[in-house]
Structure formats: C-alpha cells, structure tokens
Amino acid sequence: KRGYVTAGKWTPEAVIEHPEAVRQLHREFVRAGSDVCQTFTFYASEDRIDRAHGAGKHGVYPINKAACEIAKEVAKPAGCLVAGGLSQTNYKHDKNAARVKDQFEKQLHVFKEQEVDLMICEYFEYVDEAVWAGETVKKFMPGTPICASICLTTPEEDADGISVGECGVRMVRAGADVVGVNCHFDPFTCIAAVKKMIAAVKDAGLQAHFMVQPLGAWTPDANKKGWIGLPEYPFAVEPRILTRFEMARYAREAYDAGIRYLGGCCVFEPYHIRAVSEELREERGGYQPENCTEWGACLVDASNPETIAKVGRRHWETLNPSTGRPMSAAYSTPIWDQTK
C-alpha cells in the first residue's frame, strides 16, 4: 500500500533501501499505543532471502542489523521493548534438524549482539520448525524471553495435521515462555484457536503465557491456509478489513480469554492497535494513546447534528458496516475448492 514492499517476494531489504519508511511505520504504531517494536526481518534467513526481491544482494546480517537499529531508535525513547523476529527457514524442503537450527543461529547473531528484549519466533506452519526455533534461541540466547507462534493451516491444526493444542504443548516444552498463533485467519478465529492451546497447555500441567497476532481482515469463509486461499488475496481484501470497533471487541475477547500479548499481523494498521489500546486502557494502568477515538467522543464538536448523534458506544458497537457495493458477496469460494 505504501509502495515499499513487493507482495509475493516479501522484501526485508526495505530496512536498508528505505529506512525512513520503516522508521515512520514504527513511530505510527508506537504513537497508537504499541508496547513492542518488532524488527522488520521476516524472510531474512539465508536459505530464503534470495527469493525476496532484491534482498539477497544485501545479505541476512546487514538486513537484520539495520532492522534492529531502526526498531531500537524508535522504541527506546518511547519506553517500548524491542522484539527480534526470527524468520522461518526452508524447513518444508529440508527437514534436517541440524541444518534448520544452523539457519536459525545465523539469524540470531545480530539479535544477540543488539541485545533485543525478547525474541518472537513466528509464522511457522509446522510445529516441529517452531520447536527447533525455540530450542535454538534458548541455547544461543539464554535468558531471553521467547515468544513462539504457529501459523495454522486450518483453524484446528498445523500443516502436518498436529492439533493447535498439541502445538502449544510442544512449543512450551521446547522452552517458549509465550505461545500462540499468528496470521492466516481473522482475530476471532485465532482467539478460538488460542483458547484450545490454553486448555491443552494447562491439561499437560505446564505453565506459559499466551499471545495472538491475527490478520486484520475477516476470514470466516477461509479453510486451507486461511486468507491465502481466498480469491481476494492479496490485492483486494480491503472490504474485509475490521473496523476499529471490531478491533476493540477482539481486544476484549482476547483479554478475557487469558491472552496477554495482543498484536496483529498482515492487514493490521496503526489505528487498529490504537483501538486495542483504548479498549484495554484500564488493564494497562490507564495508559491512553494519542488522539483516542473514545467511541466517537471527538465528534461532539462536529458542525452538524447527524454526526454529533453518533457520539457514544451504542452507535459504533452495534453498527453493521456495508461495502457500498449493491452486488457485494458476503463470502467467497476459496481457490482450493475452485480447483479441485
């Protein structure tokens, strides 16, 4: 949308070629209430980076170093934490534990040198890769808090058919302090999945914290690989984007479920994080981000009564948004079903 990233060939080289754009995006999320700045290092592993548009010419170390420096520059003055982002490897094509862990270590050198506050191991479609990621961080960066997320293939299981609950148990046993799911599905689908993870971890007699970083778009009609299987992916998902008030409901439901690390993945915008921050203001010690919406309270000074009438929770919480398209479809048919 902003013109710095090429879809399909995910582009972490933006931290070197357009650092001001990455810096500004961090600032917008911090201003909206983020507590954590995550390094822009997705796809920055040696066995994948050549597939990223232009990234291979820079190399993993320079990209990850620049990403850390930018995140720290924005986060530290604001009192925020910096999270290193550990990227998936070529595990799907090479399931050798030693080689996969070696790829993780090559990514981790910079995060260790930069002394990030925590590591986020995310977008792992296979729980075995997430387990190896957690084990590698624990060994290479002892004492660093580890967050680990599964990117579910269906709302119930990973790409190997392992249940979401079992995924959580395995990640905790591998050393993760915080476990959950990210990407592929909408917030409420992801909350339901993490609830199963919470139950399974507790039933196993283990202790952990829980996280969720879902899409910012509705996916009730998605099945295999979530939104990737929808015909609108990735360039026509705008009609599916959650409103800030739906994001407030996401924040409340996630918090009430026992999830304490709330974030977002693809499609999330700073105003979505502002909505999460506003909804959980009391739980966060009264913290209030810049320019709060306050359920439309700012509209009280509008110039017309029709707009002033929209002040208050009742209007926005019960709103059923339309697309404005007379023939707009409520659901789509996933491409996997179209091509059977």
Side-chain angles (χ1 to χ4, degrees), residues 253-279:
E253 290 190 16
Y255 192 90
D256 289 347
I259 301 168
R260 292 296 179 265
Y261 190 114
L262 283 71
C265 199
C266 306
V267 193
F268 257 74
E269 300 282 353
Y271 72 90
H272 289 139
I273 293 299
R274 178 175 285 108
V276 172
S277 300
E278 289 182 26
E279 177 63 26

PDB file of all heavy atoms in Angstrom, residues 253-279:
ATOM      1  N   GLU A 253     -12.238  -9.683  23.942  1.00  0.00           N
ATOM      2  CA  GLU A 253     -12.421 -11.139  23.957  1.00  0.00           C
ATOM      3  C   GLU A 253     -11.095 -11.861  24.183  1.00  0.00           C
ATOM      4  O   GLU A 253     -11.041 -12.867  24.890  1.00  0.00           O
ATOM      5  CB  GLU A 253     -13.082 -11.602  22.653  1.00  0.00           C
ATOM      6  CG  GLU A 253     -14.538 -11.177  22.537  1.00  0.00           C
ATOM      7  CD  GLU A 253     -15.259 -11.833  21.380  1.00  0.00           C
ATOM      8  OE1 GLU A 253     -14.755 -12.847  20.831  1.00  0.00           O
ATOM      9  OE2 GLU A 253     -16.351 -11.328  21.006  1.00  0.00           O
ATOM     10  N   ALA A 254     -10.030 -11.349  23.587  1.00  0.00           N
ATOM     11  CA  ALA A 254      -8.723 -11.971  23.785  1.00  0.00           C
ATOM     12  C   ALA A 254      -8.273 -11.841  25.238  1.00  0.00           C
ATOM     13  O   ALA A 254      -7.796 -12.802  25.839  1.00  0.00           O
ATOM     14  CB  ALA A 254      -7.690 -11.343  22.845  1.00  0.00           C
ATOM     15  N   TYR A 255      -8.432 -10.668  25.785  1.00  0.00           N
ATOM     16  CA  TYR A 255      -8.020 -10.448  27.178  1.00  0.00           C
ATOM     17  C   TYR A 255      -8.837 -11.319  28.124  1.00  0.00           C
ATOM     18  O   TYR A 255      -8.286 -11.949  29.041  1.00  0.00           O
ATOM     19  CB  TYR A 255      -8.179  -8.973  27.547  1.00  0.00           C
ATOM     20  CG  TYR A 255      -7.518  -8.618  28.862  1.00  0.00           C
ATOM     21  CD1 TYR A 255      -6.186  -8.205  28.902  1.00  0.00           C
ATOM     22  CD2 TYR A 255      -8.215  -8.713  30.057  1.00  0.00           C
ATOM     23  CE1 TYR A 255      -5.572  -7.906  30.108  1.00  0.00           C
ATOM     24  CE2 TYR A 255      -7.614  -8.413  31.270  1.00  0.00           C
ATOM     25  CZ  TYR A 255      -6.285  -8.009  31.289  1.00  0.00           C
ATOM     26  OH  TYR A 255      -5.681  -7.726  32.486  1.00  0.00           O
ATOM     27  N   ASP A 256     -10.132 -11.377  27.901  1.00  0.00           N
ATOM     28  CA  ASP A 256     -10.994 -12.194  28.764  1.00  0.00           C
ATOM     29  C   ASP A 256     -10.673 -13.679  28.640  1.00  0.00           C
ATOM     30  O   ASP A 256     -10.966 -14.459  29.563  1.00  0.00           O
ATOM     31  CB  ASP A 256     -12.468 -11.950  28.427  1.00  0.00           C
ATOM     32  CG  ASP A 256     -12.943 -10.565  28.875  1.00  0.00           C
ATOM     33  OD1 ASP A 256     -12.217  -9.907  29.645  1.00  0.00           O
ATOM     34  OD2 ASP A 256     -14.038 -10.143  28.436  1.00  0.00           O
ATOM     35  N   ALA A 257     -10.077 -14.082  27.524  1.00  0.00           N
ATOM     36  CA  ALA A 257      -9.699 -15.488  27.325  1.00  0.00           C
ATOM     37  C   ALA A 257      -8.389 -15.832  28.026  1.00  0.00           C
ATOM     38  O   ALA A 257      -7.993 -16.999  28.056  1.00  0.00           O
ATOM     39  CB  ALA A 257      -9.588 -15.790  25.835  1.00  0.00           C
ATOM     40  N   GLY A 258      -7.714 -14.828  28.569  1.00  0.00           N
ATOM     41  CA  GLY A 258      -6.440 -15.073  29.242  1.00  0.00           C
ATOM     42  C   GLY A 258      -5.224 -14.791  28.388  1.00  0.00           C
ATOM     43  O   GLY A 258      -4.100 -15.119  28.769  1.00  0.00           O
ATOM     44  N   ILE A 259      -5.434 -14.177  27.231  1.00  0.00           N
ATOM     45  CA  ILE A 259      -4.330 -13.838  26.332  1.00  0.00           C
ATOM     46  C   ILE A 259      -3.782 -12.469  26.736  1.00  0.00           C
ATOM     47  O   ILE A 259      -4.546 -11.511  26.862  1.00  0.00           O
ATOM     48  CB  ILE A 259      -4.811 -13.815  24.871  1.00  0.00           C
ATOM     49  CG1 ILE A 259      -5.383 -15.190  24.483  1.00  0.00           C
ATOM     50  CG2 ILE A 259      -3.679 -13.427  23.930  1.00  0.00           C
ATOM     51  CD1 ILE A 259      -6.137 -15.199  23.161  1.00  0.00           C
ATOM     52  N   ARG A 260      -2.471 -12.377  26.921  1.00  0.00           N
ATOM     53  CA  ARG A 260      -1.895 -11.136  27.422  1.00  0.00           C
ATOM     54  C   ARG A 260      -0.945 -10.452  26.431  1.00  0.00           C
ATOM     55  O   ARG A 260      -0.551  -9.320  26.660  1.00  0.00           O
ATOM     56  CB  ARG A 260      -1.171 -11.392  28.752  1.00  0.00           C
ATOM     57  CG  ARG A 260      -2.112 -11.755  29.894  1.00  0.00           C
ATOM     58  CD  ARG A 260      -3.049 -10.599  30.204  1.00  0.00           C
ATOM     59  NE  ARG A 260      -3.983 -10.902  31.278  1.00  0.00           N
ATOM     60  CZ  ARG A 260      -5.218 -11.352  31.078  1.00  0.00           C
ATOM     61  NH1 ARG A 260      -5.664 -11.564  29.841  1.00  0.00           N
ATOM     62  NH2 ARG A 260      -6.008 -11.596  32.099  1.00  0.00           N
ATOM     63  N   TYR A 261      -0.532 -11.128  25.395  1.00  0.00           N
ATOM     64  CA  TYR A 261       0.249 -10.474  24.331  1.00  0.00           C
ATOM     65  C   TYR A 261      -0.670 -10.379  23.131  1.00  0.00           C
ATOM     66  O   TYR A 261      -0.930 -11.363  22.448  1.00  0.00           O
ATOM     67  CB  TYR A 261       1.502 -11.279  24.005  1.00  0.00           C
ATOM     68  CG  TYR A 261       2.491 -10.554  23.099  1.00  0.00           C
ATOM     69  CD1 TYR A 261       3.755 -10.186  23.562  1.00  0.00           C
ATOM     70  CD2 TYR A 261       2.170 -10.236  21.779  1.00  0.00           C
ATOM     71  CE1 TYR A 261       4.655  -9.519  22.750  1.00  0.00           C
ATOM     72  CE2 TYR A 261       3.060  -9.567  20.961  1.00  0.00           C
ATOM     73  CZ  TYR A 261       4.301  -9.210  21.446  1.00  0.00           C
ATOM     74  OH  TYR A 261       5.185  -8.541  20.630  1.00  0.00           O
ATOM     75  N   LEU A 262      -1.190  -9.186  22.884  1.00  0.00           N
ATOM     76  CA  LEU A 262      -2.114  -8.953  21.778  1.00  0.00           C
ATOM     77  C   LEU A 262      -1.430  -8.106  20.725  1.00  0.00           C
ATOM     78  O   LEU A 262      -0.843  -7.063  21.040  1.00  0.00           O
ATOM     79  CB  LEU A 262      -3.368  -8.216  22.259  1.00  0.00           C
ATOM     80  CG  LEU A 262      -4.444  -9.003  23.006  1.00  0.00           C
ATOM     81  CD1 LEU A 262      -3.973  -9.386  24.395  1.00  0.00           C
ATOM     82  CD2 LEU A 262      -5.717  -8.163  23.116  1.00  0.00           C
ATOM     83  N   GLY A 263      -1.502  -8.549  19.501  1.00  0.00           N
ATOM     84  CA  GLY A 263      -0.894  -7.798  18.415  1.00  0.00           C
ATOM     85  C   GLY A 263      -1.636  -8.045  17.130  1.00  0.00           C
ATOM     86  O   GLY A 263      -2.806  -8.434  17.130  1.00  0.00           O
ATOM     87  N   GLY A 264      -0.947  -7.820  16.021  1.00  0.00           N
ATOM     88  CA  GLY A 264      -1.559  -8.028  14.726  1.00  0.00           C
ATOM     89  C   GLY A 264      -0.523  -8.442  13.706  1.00  0.00           C
ATOM     90  O   GLY A 264       0.671  -8.202  13.873  1.00  0.00           O
ATOM     91  N   CYS A 265      -1.001  -9.052  12.648  1.00  0.00           N
ATOM     92  CA  CYS A 265      -0.135  -9.486  11.559  1.00  0.00           C
ATOM     93  C   CYS A 265      -0.551  -8.725  10.297  1.00  0.00           C
ATOM     94  O   CYS A 265      -0.793  -7.527  10.356  1.00  0.00           O
ATOM     95  CB  CYS A 265      -0.231 -11.005  11.396  1.00  0.00           C
ATOM     96  SG  CYS A 265       1.147 -11.751  10.480  1.00  0.00           S
ATOM     97  N   CYS A 266      -0.661  -9.392   9.178  1.00  0.00           N
ATOM     98  CA  CYS A 266      -0.999  -8.737   7.915  1.00  0.00           C
ATOM     99  C   CYS A 266      -2.323  -7.982   8.020  1.00  0.00           C
ATOM    100  O   CYS A 266      -3.238  -8.403   8.721  1.00  0.00           O
ATOM    101  CB  CYS A 266      -1.091  -9.775   6.804  1.00  0.00           C
ATOM    102  SG  CYS A 266       0.370 -10.822   6.633  1.00  0.00           S
ATOM    103  N   VAL A 267      -2.413  -6.882   7.312  1.00  0.00           N
ATOM    104  CA  VAL A 267      -3.595  -6.029   7.184  1.00  0.00           C
ATOM    105  C   VAL A 267      -3.785  -5.104   8.399  1.00  0.00           C
ATOM    106  O   VAL A 267      -4.526  -4.130   8.330  1.00  0.00           O
ATOM    107  CB  VAL A 267      -4.895  -6.839   6.910  1.00  0.00           C
ATOM    108  CG1 VAL A 267      -6.031  -5.927   6.480  1.00  0.00           C
ATOM    109  CG2 VAL A 267      -4.688  -7.900   5.843  1.00  0.00           C
ATOM    110  N   PHE A 268      -3.131  -5.381   9.522  1.00  0.00           N
ATOM    111  CA  PHE A 268      -3.242  -4.503  10.684  1.00  0.00           C
ATOM    112  C   PHE A 268      -2.638  -3.147  10.370  1.00  0.00           C
ATOM    113  O   PHE A 268      -1.569  -3.041   9.779  1.00  0.00           O
ATOM    114  CB  PHE A 268      -2.517  -5.107  11.887  1.00  0.00           C
ATOM    115  CG  PHE A 268      -3.434  -5.719  12.906  1.00  0.00           C
ATOM    116  CD1 PHE A 268      -4.059  -6.922  12.643  1.00  0.00           C
ATOM    117  CD2 PHE A 268      -3.679  -5.094  14.112  1.00  0.00           C
ATOM    118  CE1 PHE A 268      -4.900  -7.498  13.572  1.00  0.00           C
ATOM    119  CE2 PHE A 268      -4.519  -5.656  15.050  1.00  0.00           C
ATOM    120  CZ  PHE A 268      -5.136  -6.869  14.788  1.00  0.00           C
ATOM    121  N   GLU A 269      -3.324  -2.110  10.801  1.00  0.00           N
ATOM    122  CA  GLU A 269      -2.869  -0.735  10.655  1.00  0.00           C
ATOM    123  C   GLU A 269      -2.705  -0.118  12.042  1.00  0.00           C
ATOM    124  O   GLU A 269      -3.265  -0.624  13.019  1.00  0.00           O
ATOM    125  CB  GLU A 269      -3.884   0.079   9.840  1.00  0.00           C
ATOM    126  CG  GLU A 269      -4.138  -0.430   8.433  1.00  0.00           C
ATOM    127  CD  GLU A 269      -3.032  -0.048   7.461  1.00  0.00           C
ATOM    128  OE1 GLU A 269      -2.138   0.726   7.861  1.00  0.00           O
ATOM    129  OE2 GLU A 269      -3.062  -0.522   6.309  1.00  0.00           O
ATOM    130  N   PRO A 270      -1.989   0.987  12.159  1.00  0.00           N
ATOM    131  CA  PRO A 270      -1.833   1.622  13.473  1.00  0.00           C
ATOM    132  C   PRO A 270      -3.156   1.932  14.168  1.00  0.00           C
ATOM    133  O   PRO A 270      -3.274   1.797  15.384  1.00  0.00           O
ATOM    134  CB  PRO A 270      -1.046   2.896  13.139  1.00  0.00           C
ATOM    135  CG  PRO A 270      -0.209   2.504  11.961  1.00  0.00           C
ATOM    136  CD  PRO A 270      -1.100   1.615  11.144  1.00  0.00           C
ATOM    137  N   TYR A 271      -4.179   2.332  13.420  1.00  0.00           N
ATOM    138  CA  TYR A 271      -5.449   2.661  14.079  1.00  0.00           C
ATOM    139  C   TYR A 271      -6.097   1.420  14.705  1.00  0.00           C
ATOM    140  O   TYR A 271      -6.882   1.539  15.651  1.00  0.00           O
ATOM    141  CB  TYR A 271      -6.408   3.379  13.124  1.00  0.00           C
ATOM    142  CG  TYR A 271      -7.034   2.535  12.034  1.00  0.00           C
ATOM    143  CD1 TYR A 271      -8.239   1.871  12.229  1.00  0.00           C
ATOM    144  CD2 TYR A 271      -6.434   2.441  10.777  1.00  0.00           C
ATOM    145  CE1 TYR A 271      -8.828   1.129  11.227  1.00  0.00           C
ATOM    146  CE2 TYR A 271      -7.024   1.706   9.761  1.00  0.00           C
ATOM    147  CZ  TYR A 271      -8.219   1.044   9.988  1.00  0.00           C
ATOM    148  OH  TYR A 271      -8.805   0.305   8.986  1.00  0.00           O
ATOM    149  N   HIS A 272      -5.771   0.236  14.189  1.00  0.00           N
ATOM    150  CA  HIS A 272      -6.260  -0.986  14.819  1.00  0.00           C
ATOM    151  C   HIS A 272      -5.608  -1.184  16.193  1.00  0.00           C
ATOM    152  O   HIS A 272      -6.271  -1.551  17.162  1.00  0.00           O
ATOM    153  CB  HIS A 272      -5.956  -2.198  13.927  1.00  0.00           C
ATOM    154  CG  HIS A 272      -6.774  -2.258  12.679  1.00  0.00           C
ATOM    155  ND1 HIS A 272      -6.248  -2.624  11.463  1.00  0.00           N
ATOM    156  CD2 HIS A 272      -8.082  -1.991  12.456  1.00  0.00           C
ATOM    157  CE1 HIS A 272      -7.208  -2.596  10.539  1.00  0.00           C
ATOM    158  NE2 HIS A 272      -8.325  -2.221  11.116  1.00  0.00           N
ATOM    159  N   ILE A 273      -4.311  -0.949  16.255  1.00  0.00           N
ATOM    160  CA  ILE A 273      -3.612  -1.064  17.540  1.00  0.00           C
ATOM    161  C   ILE A 273      -4.108   0.016  18.504  1.00  0.00           C
ATOM    162  O   ILE A 273      -4.229  -0.227  19.716  1.00  0.00           O
ATOM    163  CB  ILE A 273      -2.088  -0.963  17.336  1.00  0.00           C
ATOM    164  CG1 ILE A 273      -1.580  -2.176  16.553  1.00  0.00           C
ATOM    165  CG2 ILE A 273      -1.363  -0.852  18.677  1.00  0.00           C
ATOM    166  CD1 ILE A 273      -1.817  -3.517  17.241  1.00  0.00           C
ATOM    167  N   ARG A 274      -4.433   1.203  17.984  1.00  0.00           N
ATOM    168  CA  ARG A 274      -4.997   2.247  18.852  1.00  0.00           C
ATOM    169  C   ARG A 274      -6.308   1.768  19.468  1.00  0.00           C
ATOM    170  O   ARG A 274      -6.590   2.010  20.643  1.00  0.00           O
ATOM    171  CB  ARG A 274      -5.216   3.539  18.076  1.00  0.00           C
ATOM    172  CG  ARG A 274      -5.836   4.635  18.921  1.00  0.00           C
ATOM    173  CD  ARG A 274      -5.946   5.963  18.195  1.00  0.00           C
ATOM    174  NE  ARG A 274      -4.637   6.588  18.101  1.00  0.00           N
ATOM    175  CZ  ARG A 274      -3.937   6.688  16.987  1.00  0.00           C
ATOM    176  NH1 ARG A 274      -4.419   6.164  15.867  1.00  0.00           N
ATOM    177  NH2 ARG A 274      -2.760   7.268  16.972  1.00  0.00           N
ATOM    178  N   ALA A 275      -7.123   1.067  18.688  1.00  0.00           N
ATOM    179  CA  ALA A 275      -8.397   0.553  19.203  1.00  0.00           C
ATOM    180  C   ALA A 275      -8.167  -0.479  20.306  1.00  0.00           C
ATOM    181  O   ALA A 275      -8.889  -0.501  21.311  1.00  0.00           O
ATOM    182  CB  ALA A 275      -9.214  -0.065  18.065  1.00  0.00           C
ATOM    183  N   VAL A 276      -7.159  -1.325  20.116  1.00  0.00           N
ATOM    184  CA  VAL A 276      -6.812  -2.312  21.148  1.00  0.00           C
ATOM    185  C   VAL A 276      -6.360  -1.590  22.422  1.00  0.00           C
ATOM    186  O   VAL A 276      -6.772  -1.931  23.538  1.00  0.00           O
ATOM    187  CB  VAL A 276      -5.708  -3.260  20.643  1.00  0.00           C
ATOM    188  CG1 VAL A 276      -5.206  -4.164  21.772  1.00  0.00           C
ATOM    189  CG2 VAL A 276      -6.228  -4.119  19.486  1.00  0.00           C
ATOM    190  N   SER A 277      -5.522  -0.575  22.252  1.00  0.00           N
ATOM    191  CA  SER A 277      -5.016   0.194  23.383  1.00  0.00           C
ATOM    192  C   SER A 277      -6.140   0.887  24.144  1.00  0.00           C
ATOM    193  O   SER A 277      -6.176   0.882  25.376  1.00  0.00           O
ATOM    194  CB  SER A 277      -4.012   1.251  22.916  1.00  0.00           C
ATOM    195  OG  SER A 277      -2.913   0.654  22.273  1.00  0.00           O
ATOM    196  N   GLU A 278      -7.065   1.481  23.408  1.00  0.00           N
ATOM    197  CA  GLU A 278      -8.186   2.166  24.040  1.00  0.00           C
ATOM    198  C   GLU A 278      -9.056   1.203  24.829  1.00  0.00           C
ATOM    199  O   GLU A 278      -9.453   1.493  25.959  1.00  0.00           O
ATOM    200  CB  GLU A 278      -9.032   2.877  22.980  1.00  0.00           C
ATOM    201  CG  GLU A 278      -8.369   4.086  22.352  1.00  0.00           C
ATOM    202  CD  GLU A 278      -9.281   4.760  21.343  1.00  0.00           C
ATOM    203  OE1 GLU A 278     -10.520   4.635  21.460  1.00  0.00           O
ATOM    204  OE2 GLU A 278      -8.771   5.428  20.429  1.00  0.00           O
ATOM    205  N   GLU A 279      -9.360   0.062  24.233  1.00  0.00           N
ATOM    206  CA  GLU A 279     -10.247  -0.897  24.890  1.00  0.00           C
ATOM    207  C   GLU A 279      -9.644  -1.425  26.186  1.00  0.00           C
ATOM    208  O   GLU A 279     -10.360  -1.680  27.161  1.00  0.00           O
ATOM    209  CB  GLU A 279     -10.560  -2.054  23.942  1.00  0.00           C
ATOM    210  CG  GLU A 279     -11.428  -3.147  24.543  1.00  0.00           C
ATOM    211  CD  GLU A 279     -12.820  -2.666  24.941  1.00  0.00           C
ATOM    212  OE1 GLU A 279     -13.311  -1.672  24.350  1.00  0.00           O
ATOM    213  OE2 GLU A 279     -13.417  -3.300  25.828  1.00  0.00           O
TER     214      GLU A 279
END
